Amino acid sequence: GGRHLRKYDTNRSGKLEQSQLALMLKDMNGGFDVTKEELAWVFYKADTCTGRRNYGVDHGEILYAIRIWKGYLENREYLDHMFEKYDTGRTGQLAFAELKVLLTDLTDPDEPPPSDKEVKQVMYEADRKDGEVDGSLKKVELMYAISLWYTMVKHRKSKSFMPLASKMCVVM
């Protein structure tokens, strides 16, 4: 983490600002720019991963930023495919009904489809992952939503207590 901080923290503030993080992510993305949504998501997730927010990605948070960005890049083709298939309104975001169809398709045919309550919980938890609640899911939030759904289905199958999703740690 220290090597990245020294390289991209050009003003020597001890933390990466959004513009500095954008350069690091761009370098990790083969020189291609990151979207506003991708940058906001990585910045917020990394900045809040230690339980405190300092409006920058510091030494203790930079490895987390790298890990979630790499995970996102590894899954981006799959997420692009999912959005192409389920974003029927072509808004760049999944609305409740679109998410419900997606989660239903991901559910084993022998299992009951997601209830409205379950879809609402997935939507609520995943929608907050970029620090902005807008009532629909962006591509960067979809990876968390899918992970959360599979976790919920597992708990539903075992009939074990399902902890509140906001208290769960989902590694991406």
Side-chain angles (χ1 to χ4, degrees):
R3 176 174 54 92
H4 289 91
L5 192 60
R6 284 189 298 279
K7 180 176 180 179
Y8 295 100
D9 181 19
T10 54
N11 62 357
R12 303 294 178 238
S13 66
K15 60 185 179 182
L16 298 184
E17 298 162 5
Q18 277 202 6
S19 61
Q20 296 164 329
L21 180 64
L23 291 174
M24 185 184 85
L25 299 179
K26 179 179 179 178
D27 286 349
M28 293 174 64
N29 194 29
F32 293 100
D33 287 329
V34 298
T35 67
K36 182 181 87 176
E37 290 83 12
E38 291 167 338
L39 176 60
W41 173 70
V42 174
F43 187 82
Y44 179 79
K45 291 291 293 171
D47 186 32
T48 58
C49 75
T50 58
R52 61 175 174 73
R53 186 156 192 202
N54 64 0
Y55 298 91
V57 178
D58 61 32
H59 184 269
E61 300 163 338
I62 200 162
L63 290 178
Y64 184 74
I66 291 168
R67 189 169 62 242
I68 63 171
W69 181 242
K70 283 183 176 179
Y72 175 73
L73 291 177
E74 289 170 4
N75 290 287
R76 188 164 45 188
E77 189 175 312
Y78 173 73
L79 296 171
D80 287 344
H81 169 73
M82 296 302 266
F83 255 77
E84 180 67 27
K85 183 174 180 179
Y86 294 98
D87 180 18
T88 56
R90 301 292 177 244
T91 61
Q93 298 189 35
L94 295 182
F96 178 88
E98 294 166 326
L99 178 62
K100 186 168 185 171
V101 171
L102 184 152
L103 296 180
T104 299
D105 288 353
L106 292 177
T107 305
D108 186 316
D110 297 334
E111 293 292 318
S115 68
D116 283 355
K117 182 179 178 183
E118 290 170 323
V119 176
K120 284 177 188 171
Q121 183 177 4
V122 170
M123 177 72 79
Y124 174 76
E125 294 296 334
D127 187 27
R128 302 178 317 143
K129 293 304 170 189
D130 66 350
E132 175 184 314
V133 177
D134 54 22
S136 58
L137 297 185
K138 298 175 194 77
K139 198 178 298 179
V140 294
E141 297 165 325
L142 183 58
M143 190 162 55
Y144 181 83
I146 292 170
S147 297
L148 178 59
W149 176 242
Y150 282 133
T151 301
M152 290 171 71
V153 167
K154 179 181 173 189
H155 284 274
R156 190 166 67 165
K157 277 184 180 181
S158 68
K159 305 221 184 316
S160 64
F161 171 71
M162 177 59 193
L164 288 177
S166 61
K167 301 203 186 276
M168 294 173 27
C169 179
V170 178
V171 178
M172 298 181 258

